[in-house]
């Protein structure tokens, strides 16, 4: 007979499973964490290489001469911006037209769900200005985008200046095979979202924008420039986009090769490259870089203006100029040459970038970890949940022989071991209702809260969310009064919860590995060890400490620590509150999925496990 | 037949030259040597088929390769009507070309191989395996213009030059199809059977190019390749203003070598084999001459790359007004002349009475063996082993 159909062998297997379950779970957890930490270890990573044949090597001659003129333009732009208070639309239109581009403007407005601390008002109105450089000989089927944000204070003037300087230089070349769109967007991401939605004729987020009068072809790649100083010491590359999406690795490779050619210092996560990656300090820097990337990806928010392009399958990245205290400075002409080289290589593309990886982690700019290497780390954690589920299944199957206490061998075992459907469904439904409340109530009830408490709208929203979150902790004491549940019903509930969590985390990890991994790190131990029989107080404390909310708090502190700007507890708490409000705002404005995922699915799952802990 | 008709006046002139002028043996020997050298090669016209098989801007160098061979071949005398030029993509008018209407082969834009009198016969998507094989074998639809046909005969020397991306045993056409070395060898055999060439020089500049001539089996073929099996052919130099590699190494040095050849040059094939040694090319060029009848050392470069007419300029005057000596003086009886007939286009008699090819004997296939074993087993199982004695 087969291994699984022979009852003796099956009993032996299940005994093995039951006996060794906890040790294997602990081992798997340690293996998952160790695998993740080992990803940044230099011999395990691969060197980055250019996969796209059409882009080839960096053999172009960059001849951009006009860095100083770009700075003059930047100063003019700054002056006009200060004078008009908002974006100097007329000046921009006139300047772009004088450079020979086809200029168009787009106005947009958006009603925020609650006033953000940056904007401090409900309504955001703005204008985008963009100029199209038509390819001299090619049909207008493809386009590239270079964008610079128009920031309200004195930052990013040089970015706009360089953009205009490059526009003038590009206009005099005849080798462009794609249209180039030079975009200056207002209000950062909101303006960018309006422009992209209008360009692609979609309306995902309910924004109000004017349609675009001029259009290029389908956009193949986009670069966003953030430059706030006349000279830079290093260029930082930002890749993380909305919902943790990343551009094709070839774009990062392109940037890195051109940085090396122009001899500019380039960084990722603002950490410098080094030559000794296999030493201990090198390894720790690689781990820090990778951890920063994981945290940024898990937050699900776009970390540069480029982040919104990725949703439309346009490979994009943000290049940020950093001016720190270093001797070797790079002037604007060299930065312009780097951009010229990158655009010339992107010009050679025949199809969208697709040869290299879309899912990767970067411990440094020259090394990468692909999905095939990092997914097993999450796999180990998911296996724990499956082992627990198997264990529970075995226990449920073996219950009839255990709970027949003196009733007689003829007693119907089914009645005592399978609780009614209602009693299982009740905690599940109530948890999900609490989750729904957490998702909808904070924004809806901000007016009510502002009337009764002396807080601003943003604070009201955030504090309501925390209040609902904490109120959920009191639920088990309420639900148990209204249902008569069998003693062993908690096993079925736990089985359901564990499988639900496994499916949820796996689906999340497929889309956004970092988010799935971080949630798994804290939720899987909770799901694995919680039963009604563990010591209540201690496990309640542990569960609260490993809850999604506290995970977020730890992530905030870890993020600040890794960026070498550690914060005190009070500052960390304020940062935590702002992160929650930003998450809700991101969801409303751009469709980020982290907040609904946490509120509607992860939090109810945790509540079900909390229910199991307090099972009577 | 054309051989006889073309050369008969020459023969007559030479013979009368011998008969009328002098009979000293030294003089005779001198003329004989000159005649031998004159008739060293028995081709009367030259054709060239130059093919670039890859498209896209980053394959600029393949188009430049083909155009530089085209340029040399034209300079050495082969006219456009005898050249079939197949370019899979248009680099000169590509949107990314910073110098439109030019294709350069040397960096710093020294040499423009596109010029203003390039005649491309097959362009763009017309360059396919099917069209290439049809050109070689001559099986083109009747509507095909003359410029797209290879109208060679059995006294044509043909130069075939292929470049592009290749591998072990195949050459890639247009990023979507391949021609294999077996196909190519069969095409050449078809050409031989239809007597479409006298001698054929095959040059290929791709990665692992030597694999393409491994399967040739027709006579009078000489082949050169830029790299051996397992080696990659490398590109030569990029031009930073244009942003692509301009030429492949082998063709670059081949072009340099050909620039020194002029129509009267006596350089032979052994010099061609020495083009681009491993120190310059990084890959090892290879060649194959076992199917070629003549000694490569006696084959001139211009036999394939140029179109040199067999003309001998004589300064002596020949008196043709003296009446010829009637035939009756020599021999006596008039003999009936045998009726003359055309030579068979296809040597049918040879083909029909060909010995059947010796097929190697293979042991019977496993399937047949198994089937017979099964039948025997079933028979003996049903009827019992004692029936064996009925058989033996």
């Amino acid at each position: 007979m087969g291994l699984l159909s022979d009852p003796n062998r099956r009993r032996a297997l299940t005994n093995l499973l039951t006996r060794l379950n906890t040790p294997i779970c602990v081992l798997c957890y340690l293996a998952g964490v160790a695998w993740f930490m080992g990803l940044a270890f230099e011999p395990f990573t691969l060197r980055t290489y250019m996969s796209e044949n059409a882009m080839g090597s960096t053999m172009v001659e960059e001849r951009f001469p006009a860095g100083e003129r770009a700075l003059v333009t930047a100063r003019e732009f700054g002056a006009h911006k200060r004078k008009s208070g908002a974006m100097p639309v007329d000046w921009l239109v006139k300047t772009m037209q004088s450079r020979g581009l086809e200029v168009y403007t787009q106005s947009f407005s958006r009603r925020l769900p609650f006033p953000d601390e940056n904007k401090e008002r409900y309504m955001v109105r703005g204008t985008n200005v963009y100029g199209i450089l038509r390819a001299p000989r090619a049909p207008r089927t493809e386009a590239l985008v270079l964008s610079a944000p128009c920031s309200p204070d004195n930052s990013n003037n040089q970015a706009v200046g360089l953009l205009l300087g490059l526009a003038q230089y590009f206009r005099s070349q005849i080798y462009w095979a794609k249209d180039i769109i030079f975009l200056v967007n207002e209000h950062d991401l909101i303006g960018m979202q309006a422009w992209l939605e209008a360009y692609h004729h979609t309306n995902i987020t309910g924004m109000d924008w004017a349609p675009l009068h001029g259009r290029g072809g389908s956009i193949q790649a986009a670069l966003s420039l953030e430059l706030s100083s006349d000279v830079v010491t290093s260029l930082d590359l930002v890749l993380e986009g909305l919902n943790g999406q990343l551009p094709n690795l070839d774009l990062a490779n392109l940037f890195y090769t051109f940085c090396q050619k122009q001899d500019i210092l380039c960084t990722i996560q603002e950490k410098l490259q080094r030559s000794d990656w296999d030493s201990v300090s090198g390894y720790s820097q690689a781990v820090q870089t990778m951890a920063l990337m994981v945290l940024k990806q898990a937050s699900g928010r776009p970390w540069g203006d480029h982040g919104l392009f990725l949703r439309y399958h346009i490979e994009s990245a943000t290049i940020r100029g950093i001016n720190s205290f270093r001797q070797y400075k790079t002037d604007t002409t060299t930065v312009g040459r780097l951009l010229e080289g990158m655009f010339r290589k992107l010009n050679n593309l025949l199809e969208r970038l697709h040869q290299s990886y879309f899912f990767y982690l970067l411990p440094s700019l020259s090394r990468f970890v692909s999905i095939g290497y990092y997914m097993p780390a999450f796999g180990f954690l998911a296996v724990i949940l499956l082992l627990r589920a198997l264990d529970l299944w075995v226990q449920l199957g073996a219950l009839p022989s255990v709970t027949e206490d003196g009733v007689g061998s003829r007693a119907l075992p089914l009645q005592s071991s399978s609780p009614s459907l209602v009693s299982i469904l009740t905690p599940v439904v109530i948890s999900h209702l609490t989750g729904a409340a957490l998702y909808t109530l904070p924004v809806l009830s901000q007016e009510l809260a502002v009337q009764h408490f002396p807080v601003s709208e943003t604070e009201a929203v955030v504090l309501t969310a925390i209040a609902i979150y904490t109120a959920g902790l009191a639920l088990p004491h309420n639900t148990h009064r209204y249902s008569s549940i069998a003693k062993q019903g908690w096993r079925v509930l736990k089985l359901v919860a564990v499988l639900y969590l496994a499916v949820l985390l796996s689906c999340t990890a497929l889309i956004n590995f970092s988010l799935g991994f971080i949630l798994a790190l804290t939720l899987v131990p909770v799901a694995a060890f919680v039963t009604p029989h563990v010591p209540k107080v201690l496990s309640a404390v542990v569960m609260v400490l490993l809850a999604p909310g506290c995970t977020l708090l730890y992530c905030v502190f870890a993020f600040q620590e890794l960026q070498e700007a550690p914060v005190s507890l009070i500052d960390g708490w304020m940062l935590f509150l702002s992160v929650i409000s930003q998450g809700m705002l991101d969801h409303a404005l751009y469709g980020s999925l982290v907040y609904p995922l946490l509120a509607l699915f992860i939090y109810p799952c945790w509540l079900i496990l909390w229910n199991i802990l307090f099972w009577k | 037949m054309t051989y006889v008709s073309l050369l008969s006046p020459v023969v007559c002139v030479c013979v009368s030259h011998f008969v009328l002028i002098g009979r000293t043996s030294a003089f005779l020997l001198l003329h004989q040597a000159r005649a031998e050298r004159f008739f060293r090669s028995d081709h009367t016209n030259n054709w060239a088929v130059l093919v670039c098989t890859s498209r896209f801007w980053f394959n600029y160098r393949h188009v430049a390769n083909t155009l530089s061979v085209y340029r040399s071949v034209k300079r050495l005398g082969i006219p456009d009507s005898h050249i079939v030029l197949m370019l899979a993509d248009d680099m000169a008018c590509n949107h990314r070309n910073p110098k439109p209407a030019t294709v350069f082969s040397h960096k710093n834009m020294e040499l423009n191989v596109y010029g203003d009198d390039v005649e491309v016969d097959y362009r763009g998507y017309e360059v396919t395996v099917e069209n290439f094989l049809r050109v070689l074998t001559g099986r083109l639809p009747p509507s095909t213009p003359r410029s797209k046909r290879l109208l060679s005969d059995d006294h044509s020397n043909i130069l075939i030059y292929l470049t592009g991306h290749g591998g072990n045993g195949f050459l890639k056409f247009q990023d979507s199809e391949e021609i294999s070395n077996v196909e190519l060898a069969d095409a050449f055999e078809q050409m031989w059977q239809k007597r479409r060439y006298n001698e054929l020089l095959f040059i290929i500049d791709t990665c692992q190019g030597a694999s393409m001539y491994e399967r040739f089996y027709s006579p009078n073929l000489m082949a050169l390749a830029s790299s051996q099996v397992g080696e990659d052919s490398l590109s030569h130099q990029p031009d930073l203003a244009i942003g692509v590699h301009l030429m492949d190494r082998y063709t670059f040095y081949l072009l340099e070598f050909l620039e020194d050849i002029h129509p009267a040059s006596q350089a032979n094939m052994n010099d061609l084999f020495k083009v681009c040694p491993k120190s310059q090319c990084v890959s090892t060029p290879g060649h194959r001459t076992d199917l070629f009848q003549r000694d490569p050392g006696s084959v001139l470069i211009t036999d394939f790359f140029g179109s040199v007419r067999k003309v001998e300029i004589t300064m002596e005057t020949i008196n043709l007004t003296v009446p010829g000596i009637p035939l009756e003086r020599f021999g006596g009886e008039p003999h009936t002349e045998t009726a003359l007939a055309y030579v068979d286009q296809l040597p049918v008699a040879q083909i029909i009475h060909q010995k059947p090819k010796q097929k190697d004997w293979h042991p019977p296939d496993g399937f047949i063996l198994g089937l017979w074993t099964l039948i025997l087993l079933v028979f003996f199982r049903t009827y019992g082993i004692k029936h064996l004695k009925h058989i033996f």
Side-chain angles (χ1 to χ4, degrees):
Chain A
M1 292 244 276
L3 193 63
L4 290 176
S5 48
D6 180 10
N8 285 328
R9 288 219 193 115
R10 194 169 10 156
R11 211 173 302 131
L13 265 179
T14 49
N15 280 342
L16 201 71
L17 190 65
T18 323
R19 236 173 346 114
L20 290 181
N21 208 312
T22 319
I24 295 183
C25 285
V26 170
L27 211 65
C28 279
Y29 188 77
L30 293 173
V33 173
W35 189 287
F36 181 74
M37 297 302 285
L39 286 173
F41 190 45
E42 201 240 352
F44 295 160
T45 56
L46 293 167
R47 194 167 267 289
T48 54
Y49 54 92
M50 192 70 95
S51 303
E52 175 68 57
N53 214 358
M55 293 211 290
S57 58
T58 58
M59 48 187 181
V60 282
E61 202 181 333
E62 301 93 348
R63 293 210 204 98
F64 178 65
E68 306 306 316
R69 230 179 306 156
L71 291 177
V72 170
T73 320
R75 274 190 277 278
E76 265 188 58
F77 175 71
H80 277 94
K81 191 166 65 171
R82 264 194 306 274
K83 201 166 67 176
S84 67
M87 185 142 97
V89 175
D90 297 323
W91 180 85
L92 264 177
V93 168
K94 209 161 35 92
T95 320
M96 279 193 186
Q97 269 173 347
S98 72
R99 277 158 172 70
L101 309 176
E102 283 179 28
V103 191
Y104 304 96
T105 59
Q106 182 209 19
S107 59
F108 59 90
S109 73
R110 180 75 164 109
R111 193 176 187 289
L112 298 174
F114 55 90
D116 184 25
E117 52 214 29
N118 298 335
K119 308 275 184 260
E120 309 235 326
R121 58 188 183 283
Y122 275 102
M123 192 67 124
V124 171
R125 257 184 255 271
T127 322
N128 293 329
V129 178
Y130 63 105
I132 306 181
L133 172 83
R134 297 289 181 192
R137 294 174 281 154
R140 299 171 178 186
T141 48
E142 293 175 347
L144 299 169
V145 173
L146 178 64
S147 81
C150 171
S151 308
D153 48 0
N154 217 14
S155 56
N156 284 328
N157 290 342
Q158 282 83 357
V160 176
L162 186 57
L163 180 133
L164 294 169
L166 280 172
Q168 188 166 29
Y169 177 69
F170 284 179
R171 183 73 176 86
S172 59
Q173 310 301 322
I174 59 168
Y175 45 68
W176 297 113
K178 302 184 206 293
D179 294 344
I180 304 185
I181 303 178
F182 295 93
L183 169 68
V184 180
N185 52 325
E186 199 173 357
H187 297 303
D188 297 321
L189 290 165
I190 302 179
M192 187 61 91
Q193 179 72 18
W195 190 81
L196 280 170
E197 280 188 2
Y199 197 89
H200 293 98
H201 305 293
T202 60
N203 200 331
I204 312 172
T205 56
M207 211 186 265
D208 200 16
W209 35 259
L212 295 180
H213 294 290
R215 213 175 167 278
S218 93
I219 304 177
Q220 305 290 88
L223 283 178
S224 178
L225 191 60
E226 288 179 24
L227 202 60
S228 302
S229 55
D230 282 356
V231 286
V232 289
T233 52
S234 61
L235 286 177
D236 193 42
L237 181 71
V238 184
L239 295 171
E240 299 84 7
L242 187 65
N243 287 329
Q245 223 177 336
L246 297 168
N248 200 301
L249 189 57
D250 264 340
L251 202 58
N253 298 339
L254 187 69
F255 174 75
Y256 184 54
T257 40
F258 270 101
C259 270
Q260 284 183 312
K261 185 180 181 205
Q262 298 289 335
D263 210 15
I264 305 179
L265 206 58
C266 51
T267 60
I268 192 165
Q269 317 297 349
E270 297 180 19
K271 295 220 185 276
L272 293 168
Q273 299 289 98
R274 48 194 306 155
S275 49
D276 58 340
W277 287 111
D278 46 358
S279 66
V280 175
S281 54
Y283 171 70
S284 83
Q285 183 169 324
V287 167
Q288 282 174 23
T289 317
M290 202 174 70
L292 270 172
M293 182 168 179
V294 163
L295 285 170
K296 282 190 180 175
Q297 211 187 353
S299 69
R301 60 183 300 257
W303 286 86
D305 281 358
H306 72 285
L308 297 171
F309 281 94
L310 294 166
R311 177 195 265 148
Y312 298 95
H313 200 34
I314 300 169
E315 311 310 325
S316 55
T318 299
I319 297 177
R320 194 172 286 159
I322 297 177
N323 194 11
S324 64
F325 301 103
R326 206 173 276 283
Q327 268 185 323
Y328 187 69
K329 300 221 186 261
T330 315
D331 61 347
T332 321
T333 314
T334 321
V335 177
R337 288 209 175 145
L338 179 132
L339 288 168
E340 179 197 350
M342 283 183 80
F343 266 88
R344 266 202 90 170
K345 280 295 159 186
L346 288 171
N347 183 39
N348 282 356
L349 280 179
L350 295 147
E351 18 180 35
R352 286 181 194 275
L353 285 168
H354 66 283
Q355 302 277 10
S356 191
Y357 299 92
F358 287 102
F359 296 97
Y360 50 88
L361 290 176
L362 292 177
S364 77
L365 261 184
S366 57
R367 306 220 152 243
F368 75 100
V369 181
S370 72
I371 185 171
Y373 285 99
Y374 68 59
M375 215 32 126
F378 177 79
F380 278 122
L381 296 179
V383 153
I384 297 175
L385 292 173
L386 293 177
L387 282 175
R388 273 283 174 233
L390 269 176
D391 185 35
L392 282 165
W393 182 261
V394 162
Q395 284 176 15
L396 281 173
L399 269 174
S401 53
V402 171
T403 56
E404 277 177 49
D405 29 310
V407 184
S409 56
R410 282 325 200 113
L412 299 159
L414 294 162
Q415 224 168 23
S416 59
S417 62
S418 72
S420 59
L421 191 63
V422 178
S423 58
I424 295 303
L425 222 47
T426 318
V428 173
V429 167
I430 294 184
S431 310
H432 279 90
L433 284 177
T434 320
L438 183 59
Y439 177 66
T440 50
L441 280 184
V443 176
L444 286 178
S445 66
Q446 56 179 309
E447 277 186 30
L448 207 63
V450 166
Q451 279 173 4
H452 292 288
F453 298 99
V455 289
S456 70
E457 283 94 344
T458 320
E459 290 173 12
V461 169
V462 173
L463 292 173
T464 316
I466 295 180
I468 299 177
Y469 180 87
T470 327
L473 295 179
L475 273 175
H477 306 289
N478 301 328
T479 55
H480 284 205
R481 258 183 264 147
Y482 300 109
S483 50
S484 55
I485 317 141
K487 258 206 171 292
Q488 305 300 325
W490 67 269
R491 283 188 216 271
V492 181
L493 185 60
K494 185 169 177 194
L495 182 64
V496 166
V498 160
L499 287 176
Y500 182 45
L501 189 65
V503 166
L504 209 58
L505 288 178
S506 308
C507 292
T508 315
L510 281 177
I511 302 172
N512 188 346
F513 163 78
S514 313
L515 184 61
F517 189 72
I518 290 179
L519 288 173
L521 270 182
T522 49
L523 284 176
V524 162
V526 164
F529 84 81
V530 74
T531 62
H533 304 304
V534 292
K536 287 261 192 303
V537 176
L538 184 64
S539 14
V541 169
V542 169
M543 265 197 84
V544 168
L545 283 179
L546 292 177
C550 291
T551 314
L552 187 58
L553 190 63
Y554 305 149
C555 285
V556 167
F557 278 109
F559 185 71
Q560 288 301 121
E561 194 68 45
L562 285 170
Q563 282 203 313
E564 291 165 25
V567 288
S568 61
L569 269 171
I570 302 293
D571 288 332
W573 176 255
M574 300 307 291
L575 207 58
F576 173 66
L577 295 179
S578 75
V579 163
I580 297 180
S581 76
Q582 200 60 43
M584 289 201 266
L585 212 57
D586 279 347
H587 169 63
L589 287 176
Y590 321 120
S592 160
L593 293 173
V594 175
Y595 179 64
L597 178 78
L598 287 178
L600 290 173
F601 295 104
I602 301 286
Y603 177 62
C605 210
W606 183 84
L607 271 184
I608 298 175
L609 295 169
W610 182 254
N611 259 317
I612 295 173
L613 180 63
F614 287 101
W615 199 267
K616 275 195 271 296
Chain B
M1 207 40 227
T2 44
Y3 164 82
V4 176
S5 59
L6 264 178
L7 286 185
S8 51
V10 181
V11 170
C12 286
V13 166
C14 282
V15 166
S16 53
H17 195 91
F18 292 150
V19 167
L20 293 172
I21 300 300
R23 291 207 174 106
T24 51
S25 52
F27 210 42
L28 209 73
L29 272 174
L30 175 67
H31 281 284
Q32 201 149 26
R34 279 170 71 187
E36 264 174 27
R37 210 180 60 226
F38 197 74
F39 292 114
R40 189 158 39 178
S41 160
D42 46 1
H43 73 283
T44 58
N45 54 76
N46 286 84
W47 286 81
V49 178
L50 310 174
V51 184
C52 160
T53 60
S54 44
R55 55 173 35 241
F56 304 139
W57 174 245
F58 56 90
N59 289 323
Y60 184 101
R61 60 189 187 278
H62 296 140
V63 172
N65 288 351
T66 318
L67 283 173
S68 48
V69 175
Y70 172 78
R71 181 201 136 79
S72 311
V73 145
K74 241 174 106 156
R75 190 176 52 82
L76 290 172
I78 304 186
D80 270 318
S81 55
H82 282 228
I83 303 178
V84 177
L85 179 62
M86 303 171 86
L87 295 180
D89 201 359
D90 182 9
M91 294 306 165
C93 297
N94 194 309
H95 308 307
R96 296 168 181 82
N97 194 347
K99 295 270 182 284
T102 59
V103 173
F104 290 107
S105 62
H106 285 65
K107 71 173 175 201
N108 302 324
M109 303 182 213
E110 284 168 15
L111 182 60
N112 174 17
V113 288
Y114 200 68
D116 52 1
D117 60 345
V118 171
E119 206 179 281
V120 182
D121 301 305
Y122 285 84
R123 57 176 63 93
Y125 287 108
E126 290 172 351
V127 178
T128 57
V129 174
E130 183 191 340
N131 280 349
F132 176 59
L133 291 177
R134 280 184 186 279
V135 162
L136 287 183
T137 54
R139 290 203 185 85
L140 288 160
S143 56
T144 320
R146 280 182 74 93
S147 60
K148 284 187 162 166
R149 288 179 190 264
L150 178 67
L151 296 165
S152 56
D153 54 23
D154 59 333
H155 287 292
S156 307
N157 273 11
I158 308 184
L159 164 73
I160 298 189
Y161 176 81
L162 290 173
T163 182
H165 288 290
N168 192 354
F170 67 92
L171 171 62
K172 184 172 77 156
F173 266 70
Q174 300 264 19
D175 213 24
S176 61
E177 50 181 3
E178 306 160 348
I179 186 172
S180 64
N181 49 3
V182 176
E183 270 183 309
L184 196 58
D186 286 342
F188 287 157
E189 174 65 11
Q190 287 185 54
M191 287 175 79
W192 174 251
Q193 289 193 3
K194 288 170 72 167
R195 296 292 182 267
R196 278 170 68 77
Y197 69 90
N198 176 34
E199 285 166 348
L200 198 145
L201 175 65
F202 174 76
I203 305 184
I204 184 161
D205 187 355
T206 64
C207 302
Q208 307 194 50
S211 63
M212 289 304 282
Y213 60 62
E214 272 171 5
R215 299 290 189 125
F216 290 173
Y217 55 94
S218 319
N220 290 351
L221 292 178
M222 184 169 357
L224 282 116
S226 61
S227 57
Q228 302 293 330
V229 174
E231 286 180 348
D232 286 339
S233 283
L234 300 179
S235 49
H236 184 63
Q237 46 179 300
D239 181 299
L240 294 180
I242 302 180
V244 282
H245 284 286
L246 293 181
M247 284 271 270
D248 280 329
R249 281 175 192 250
Y250 182 74
T251 313
F252 182 80
Y253 291 110
L254 181 70
L255 177 66
E256 262 189 18
F257 172 75
L258 288 174
E259 289 286 304
D260 290 332
I261 306 287
H262 54 89
S265 149
Q266 298 295 310
N268 57 40
M269 280 297 158
N270 284 333
D271 302 326
L272 192 61
F273 295 155
K274 293 203 205 88
V275 161
C276 207
K278 197 173 166 76
S279 56
Q280 281 175 327
C281 252
V282 185
S283 59
T284 320
H287 54 90
R288 180 176 178 181
T289 52
D290 56 319
L291 293 165
F292 205 72
Q293 315 266 11
R294 294 191 283 152
D295 169 38
S298 66
V299 180
L300 296 179
I301 301 284
T302 51
D303 280 352
F304 289 102
F305 283 88
S307 182
V308 181
R309 294 267 167 241
K310 296 282 184 289
V311 173
E312 181 177 331
I313 301 177
T314 172
M315 293 302 174
E316 293 106 2
T317 53
I318 299 162
N319 192 349
L320 291 172
T321 56
V322 174
I325 304 158
L327 274 173
E328 291 89 37
R329 279 264 201 109
F330 300 93
E333 319 93 45
H335 52 276
T336 50
E337 296 197 346
T338 52
L340 297 173
Y342 281 99
V343 176
D344 277 335
Q345 271 263 307
L346 286 172
V348 175
Q350 273 181 300
I351 293 170
I352 289 178
H353 294 193
Q354 226 173 9
K355 266 202 295 220
K357 226 175 11 171
Q358 272 267 352
K359 270 212 189 89
D360 299 322
W361 180 82
H362 295 287
D365 226 26
F367 173 69
I368 307 289
L369 260 181
L371 195 65
W372 276 108
T373 320
L374 186 69
I375 294 172
L376 284 172
L377 274 175
V378 166
F379 176 78
F380 286 118
R381 209 174 157 77
T382 334
Y383 296 109
I385 207 78
K386 61 186 190 298
H387 285 91
L388 257 182
K389 68 175 194 294
H390 292 287
I391 301 171
F392 295 110

